[in-house]
Each structure stands twice: as structure tokens, then as C-alpha cells.
Amino acid sequence: MLLFLLAALSGQVTPVQPLPKGTGQPPAIAADEPAVLAAVQRMFDGLAARDPARILAQTLPEGGATVASEGADGARTLRHLSWAAFAAGLHPGPERYAERLLDPAIEIDGDIAMVWSPYVFTVDGKLQHCGTDHFDLVREAGAWKVLNVTWTQRTTGCDAQ
């Protein structure tokens, strides 16, 4: 520390190597990325089927779902649900639900993963709402499971989605 202070006072600066230039190539896909996305897709498939058991099969019971909603009037609400409460909110019906990620970013470190992505949610092919999904996943006994999902939800500003 004293050496650094003396160098700074004398006007000497320690040369710093420049950061390496980017390659312009997209980052390599981690081997586990398809498996992580598959776990999320299985959850979406359970939602589309309105099948609580299929959704719960993709989750860890100690986690849950949190939605940060923004109304057309700008009013905001935050709601947290256990997985059991989330699944209990699904009811059979003729409408077709579909949720689609638009450009997911996936980060994996060992047995934890994160998926972050804008999404659109449609009912019978008509846009219902949009926002950003954030999934926290954990690999348990070799299988990726969703611990938590947090998402924003709005009905305006979805045109570019």
C-alpha cells in the first residue's frame, strides 16, 4: 500500500495490460443449457395443459412464484405464491394458454442456473400480457428443477415483443 501511495504521489503509474478484445463470436453454449431450458419448457407445457401436477413435477416445494404486475393505469402490485397455491390457480377450460421466451439468457454454475428472458403470454393466440421471466433452477439428483420464478406482467408496451 505504501509503495502504491508513493508511486501515485510521484506521478508514476503502474502500467495496466489492456483487456482482451472480444472475438465477435457468440459465447459457446454450455452443455447444460438445453436441459435447463427443457425444464422451463416442461413447466410451460404443464401451464398450457392446465395440469397442476405437471407444473409441480418441475418445481421444488420450498420455492414459489412471485409476480410484479403493472396495470394499464400504472398501479403496481407484488404477489408471492407457494407452488401449491400457484398450481391450485389453474383450472380446466377450453382456452389455449401459451407462454414463450423471446431471447433467454442462461447462466449456469455447477448445480444452479438462472434463466432471464422477455416473454409473451397468449390465450387462444391473442396476446394477454408480456414482461420478463426470471427462473432460478437447481439440479437435484441429476435433474433440473425450478426453485423460483419471478416475473413482471403488463398489458401495455407489448407491441415490440
Side-chain angles (χ1 to χ4, degrees):
M1 178 70 176
L2 181 59
L3 186 56
F4 175 76
L5 183 57
L6 290 174
L9 290 174
S10 69
Q12 296 176 347
V13 179
T14 304
V16 176
Q17 294 295 323
L19 293 173
K21 300 279 187 227
T23 64
Q25 299 295 319
I29 295 175
D32 285 333
E33 285 184 13
V36 167
L37 280 177
V40 171
Q41 186 58 52
R42 286 189 299 273
M43 194 171 175
F44 286 168
D45 293 345
L47 180 64
R50 295 178 168 191
D51 185 341
R54 282 176 71 181
I55 289 176
L56 293 174
Q58 299 308 313
T59 65
L60 292 171
E62 56 272 19
T66 302
V67 57
S69 299
E70 182 179 333
D73 63 356
R76 296 173 184 259
T77 60
L78 186 65
R79 201 168 55 133
H80 178 75
L81 302 162
S82 67
W83 283 123
F86 178 83
L90 291 177
H91 303 287
E95 301 88 6
R96 292 179 336 232
Y97 291 171
E99 186 160 349
R100 181 171 53 95
L101 300 179
L102 298 176
D103 187 19
I106 304 158
E107 296 290 336
I108 302 168
D109 185 14
D111 289 330
I112 67 169
M114 180 212 59
V115 177
W116 174 281
S117 180
Y119 76 90
V120 292
F121 183 84
T122 60
V123 175
D124 292 332
K126 183 179 176 192
L127 181 68
Q128 185 72 24
H129 58 80
C130 66
T132 298
D133 279 340
H134 173 214
F135 291 87
D136 293 321
L137 296 97
V138 177
R139 184 171 28 208
E140 187 174 71
W144 288 103
K145 298 287 185 172
V146 176
L147 179 61
N148 297 297
V149 62
T150 305
W151 71 97
T152 58
Q153 181 175 311
R154 62 183 169 281
T155 57
T156 59
C158 297
D159 318 275
Q161 305 285 333

